Amino acid sequence: QVHLVESGGGSVQAGGSLRLSCAVSGFPYRKYCMGWFRQAPGKEREGVAAIDSDGTIGYANFVKGQFTISKDNVKNTLYLQMNTLKPEDTAMYYCAAASGTEDILISALTLDAKSYNYWGQGTQVTVSS
């Protein structure tokens, strides 16, 4: 059974940094895409960043160098380094995993949430001004 467990969220002041982690277990696929999404209260879920099994990375337009996605294949862990945090970055952050056809994985890399079939429970990030 696939499990995704996020950690690393918390409360920080504007300008601060956080590194989110997502521990992955039970994921048997060699070809995959992993992504970070976020959802703020009263807003729709939005994609933040994704990385596939080949190391190809995609970012949402709003990231603009503020966030960096990475993965450690030995530790089976996905990361999101978030710098220069702003109050508008306040949200629940979720990691997700996609497996399937090449078309699905391409869509997942573009942060199409419908392409992801496994989701974590989320970790809260709160940024105060």
Side-chain angles (χ1 to χ4, degrees):
Q1 192 170 2
V2 178
H3 289 286
L4 306 176
V5 180
E6 302 95 334
S7 61
S11 296
V12 297
Q13 290 194 325
S17 298
L18 284 173
R19 188 176 81 154
L20 305 184
S21 300
C22 174
V24 183
S25 61
F27 194 75
Y29 306 102
R30 290 192 308 110
K31 303 292 283 186
Y32 59 84
C33 187
M34 304 285 299
W36 287 100
F37 292 78
R38 69 184 187 183
Q39 187 166 19
K43 295 189 176 181
E44 292 190 355
R45 179 177 54 190
E46 62 180 351
V48 177
I51 183 169
D52 70 12
S53 47
D54 294 329
T56 304
I57 290 173
Y59 289 107
N61 289 337
F62 68 81
V63 169
K64 295 180 180 175
Q66 184 188 359
F67 298 163
T68 303
I69 190 171
S70 62
K71 61 185 176 75
D72 186 324
N73 293 332
V74 175
K75 295 182 178 179
N76 292 326
T77 302
L78 179 73
Y79 300 101
L80 184 69
Q81 177 67 44
M82 305 189 296
N83 299 324
T84 321
L85 284 162
K86 306 168 228 176
E88 50 264 42
D89 295 317
T90 294
M92 185 72 80
Y93 284 72
Y94 299 90
C95 85
S99 63
T101 65
E102 187 158 351
D103 285 347
I104 288 173
L105 298 181
I106 290 171
S107 292
L109 197 59
T110 65
L111 299 170
D112 178 2
K114 298 188 298 296
S115 302
Y116 289 82
N117 40 359
Y118 302 102
W119 292 84
Q121 295 298 307
T123 186
Q124 178 68 38
V125 172
T126 302
V127 185
S128 58
S129 57

